């Protein structure tokens, strides 16, 4: 059991006039009417630090607080390996199955929590980018405010190099090809919205090289200069070569119609952040770090 957590939401103008129950049902769709009703009635939900009712109307700038009691988190691998560390920068190897940030039932079983526990008493490391829960490999974290600003600027200017290994369905792709499918939010029956291929989405680019072809799938090296959510999964699916075992993204780069219950955190696919390069925020020296891929991606 973890220690529980308190979630705070400040009400914006777009939510003013909703009832407390309507707000939670619209914003947090992982729970239904009866579940949120019970939490409100038992005092787990507070409005401006006082008890409330499911029918109370919300006003802009009010604060809703949900005090979630301790719960048993799903079991995940927690064996984080430090690849590089100094006073400014931390690079770790994340196992597949471990979420980077809290959410979806995960709090302590996350990369962020485990790293901060390991570096307790110091300024908490902050991830500069993230990997999907099912993706393994290198994650870059900043250990100071100044290094966070410098590395975030490199990320915005697309100066952090990220090279992945991916096992894609199909063998008919060219030896080298580039995918520029825009990625944006689209409707999803369970989550409300989901990042996927979208004509009016944000620009994204993935450069792919075939390393090996076998009977029904191909091993690819994929370099990304942009970092849209689930970019490689979406791009390869949009190109007609979805990742082997991906339960969510199918041809076209959108959610599979045969499995509405799948969410982005579901694993089963093969994707590994193999190489990471960036300029050190204080020395200016370019660091190039690697993490060996799992056997399926070698």
């Amino acid at each position: 059991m973890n220690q529980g957590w308190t979630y705070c939401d400040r009400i914006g103008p777009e939510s003013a006039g909703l009832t407390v129950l309507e707000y939670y049902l619209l914003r947090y769709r992982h729970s239904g009417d009866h579940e949120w009703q019970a939490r409100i009635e038992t005092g787990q939900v507070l409005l401006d630090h006082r008890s409330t009712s499911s029918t109370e109307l919300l006003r802009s700038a009010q604060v809703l607080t949900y005090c979630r009691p301790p719960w048993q988190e799903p079991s995940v691998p927690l064996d984080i390996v430090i690849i590089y560390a100094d006073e400014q920068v931390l690079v770790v190897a994340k196992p597949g199955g471990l979420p980077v940030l809290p959410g979806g039932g995960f709090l302590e079983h996350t990369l962020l929590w485990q790293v901060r526990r390991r570096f307790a008493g110091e300024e908490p490391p902050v991830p500069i980018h993230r990997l999907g829960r099912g993706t393994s490999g290198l994650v870059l974290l900043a250990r100071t405010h100044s290094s966070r600003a410098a590395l975030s600027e490199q990320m915005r200017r697309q100066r952090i190099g990220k090279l992945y290994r991916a096992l894609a369905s199909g063998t008919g792709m060219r030896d080298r090809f580039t995918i520029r499918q825009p990625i944006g939010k689209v409707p999803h029956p369970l989550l409300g919205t989901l990042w996927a291929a979208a004509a009016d989405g944000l620009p994204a680019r993935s450069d792919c090289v075939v390393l090996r072809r076998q009977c029904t799938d191909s091993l690819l090296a994929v370099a990304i200069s942009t970092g849209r959510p689930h970019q490689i999964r979406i791009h390869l699916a949009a190109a007609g070569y979805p990742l082997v075992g991906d339960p969510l993204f199918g041809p076209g780069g959108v959610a599979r119609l045969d499995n509405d219950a799948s969410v982005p955190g579901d694993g089963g696919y093969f994707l590994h952040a193999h190489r990471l390069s960036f300029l050190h925020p204080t020395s200016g020296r370019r660091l190039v770090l690697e993490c060996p891929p799992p056997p399926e991606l070698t």
Side-chain angles (χ1 to χ4, degrees):
M1 298 287 285
N2 59 30
Q3 301 301 307
W5 194 251
T6 299
Y7 301 87
C8 294
D9 290 280
R10 182 172 293 275
I11 303 304
E14 71 285 352
S15 299
L18 295 175
T19 66
V20 173
L21 180 59
E22 287 170 341
Y23 178 86
Y24 280 109
L25 289 175
L26 288 171
R27 187 171 179 85
Y28 300 105
R29 303 188 183 202
H30 53 71
S31 297
D33 187 301
H34 297 295
E35 293 167 297
W36 280 120
Q37 183 79 40
R39 291 165 184 157
I40 296 167
E41 290 177 353
T42 56
Q44 295 179 38
V45 174
L46 303 176
L47 179 61
D48 289 339
H49 309 293
R50 59 171 175 78
S51 59
T52 184
S53 68
S54 60
T55 58
E56 183 168 357
L57 297 178
L58 297 172
R59 301 190 308 273
S60 183
Q62 286 187 303
V63 176
L64 271 173
T65 306
Y66 167 42
C67 305
R68 185 176 183 181
W71 73 93
Q72 185 68 48
E73 298 182 39
S75 178
V76 296
L78 299 173
D79 50 330
I80 299 167
V81 178
I82 296 177
I83 303 297
Y84 177 88
D86 62 25
E87 294 180 349
Q88 300 292 325
V89 172
L90 175 67
V91 178
V92 301
K94 182 186 86 68
L98 177 66
V100 173
L101 300 178
F106 294 94
L107 176 64
E108 297 178 8
H109 288 183
T110 60
L111 174 71
L112 182 63
W113 189 282
Q114 297 299 317
V115 166
R116 289 184 172 182
R117 184 166 65 179
R118 187 174 298 191
F119 290 88
E122 305 178 36
E123 187 171 343
V126 177
I128 298 300
H129 65 112
R130 68 182 70 178
L131 300 180
R133 177 184 166 194
T135 305
S136 59
L138 297 172
V139 180
L140 172 62
L141 301 96
R143 300 188 66 184
T144 66
H145 289 295
S146 59
S147 62
R148 180 182 182 182
L151 292 170
S152 296
E153 180 66 15
Q154 289 187 49
M155 182 68 73
R156 283 191 293 270
R157 293 178 176 270
Q158 301 180 13
R159 293 178 178 174
I160 294 181
K162 292 173 285 185
L163 184 66
Y164 291 73
R165 292 282 181 92
L167 189 63
S169 301
T171 60
M173 67 283 288
R174 299 189 303 274
D175 290 344
R176 293 176 178 268
F177 59 101
T178 296
I179 308 169
R180 292 186 174 88
Q181 168 67 53
I183 294 173
K185 287 188 175 182
V186 301
H188 186 271
L190 182 64
L191 304 173
T193 60
L194 169 77
W195 289 94
D200 59 349
L202 299 171
R205 173 171 175 162
S206 300
D207 296 298
C208 309
V209 177
V210 177
L211 302 178
R212 184 187 71 233
R213 302 178 201 266
Q214 39 199 35
C215 296
T216 60
D217 50 57
S218 301
L219 178 64
L220 308 178
V222 184
I224 60 173
S225 54
T226 52
R228 309 305 179 198
H230 320 299
Q231 176 172 321
I232 294 175
R233 297 171 66 186
I234 294 169
H235 267 183
L236 288 175
Y241 311 109
L243 290 180
V244 172
D246 193 331
L248 180 59
F249 294 106
V254 295
R256 296 180 182 272
L257 298 177
D258 58 348
N259 196 355
D260 288 343
S262 292
V263 296
D266 293 341
Y269 57 88
F270 297 94
L271 183 62
H272 177 78
H274 171 56
R275 183 182 299 162
L276 181 69
S277 63
F278 58 95
L279 297 177
H280 192 277
T282 54
S283 70
R285 178 169 59 99
R286 177 160 288 278
L287 297 177
V288 181
L289 304 169
E290 292 191 354
C291 174
E296 297 86 354
L297 298 175
T298 56

